[in-house]
Amino acid sequence: MVDTEPQVADGKVLWHFTMSLDGFVAGPNHSMEWMTGFSIRQGLIGEYVDTTGAVLAGRDGWDAGGESRPYGGAWHGPVFVLTHHPEDATPADGVTFLTCDPAEAVRIGLAAAGGKNLEVFSPTIGRQFLELGLIDEIDLHIAPILLGEGIRLYDNPGGAPIRLRRVGAGDPVSVVNVRYRPSAT
């Protein structure tokens, strides 16, 4: 499979996740222990460190991850956590808890990103933003693992399907073929 072009910082709202082949971005209770033992393209993490100006996260994921910073702590910048109950949130350096509507959260995040990308690290918030037309691009890294349960990237029972167009060279509506074999390890 051909990787996409390198990420650029052009002030977009980027819904960005590593996802299991069966569509989960976190295990049960937002666990992330499954995200080990995979290789990635050299320089990929650096691209995101360089192009990310701010991060918008959800409260459940923030609470589960503690004060961990994106990209293994290599990225430093403002983090915004969208929540309905900021009064019981644990304060952290560089973290602002927001209680505004989605469009205002995007406006605040993009302003703080200073022309770089605003990365959305929440499946629930990402879904809401997508439905409101606030997502510019979805950037997924599909890991060769089947989790079977956890937090799905996109879960909207009864909702209308959202058609996507692939970024990069080639047919933008072409199916992407992925082929794996079960591994003993």
Side-chain angles (χ1 to χ4, degrees), residues 45-84:
I45 298 298
E47 286 177 22
Y48 291 100
V49 169
D50 293 343
T51 61
T52 301
V55 166
L56 183 62
R59 178 67 187 271
D60 290 341
W62 172 257
D63 286 348
E67 293 185 32
S68 63
R69 301 295 291 189
Y71 305 113
W75 180 81
H76 301 282
V79 173
F80 299 94
V81 178
L82 196 53
T83 180
H84 294 290

Side-chain angles (χ1 to χ4, degrees), residues 103-183:
E104 180 68 4
V106 167
R107 188 197 65 71
I108 291 167
L110 283 173
K116 292 185 175 183
N117 298 333
L118 171 63
E119 291 207 21
V120 178
F121 288 161
S122 166
T124 305
I125 293 169
R127 177 184 52 79
Q128 293 170 17
F129 285 8
L130 186 64
E131 291 169 356
L132 292 170
L134 299 172
I135 294 290
D136 295 312
E137 193 171 293
I138 302 169
D139 195 351
L140 296 175
H141 309 283
I142 301 172
I145 188 171
L146 297 168
L147 293 181
E149 65 177 331
I151 310 297
R152 290 202 175 278
L153 171 71
Y154 186 77
D155 197 9
N156 193 16
I162 296 177
R163 296 214 176 253
L164 306 172
R165 298 184 69 77
R166 187 166 170 240
V167 175
D171 182 354
V173 294
S174 176
V175 170
V176 175
N177 296 315
V178 180
R179 184 182 291 185
Y180 292 109
R181 290 189 175 125
S183 172

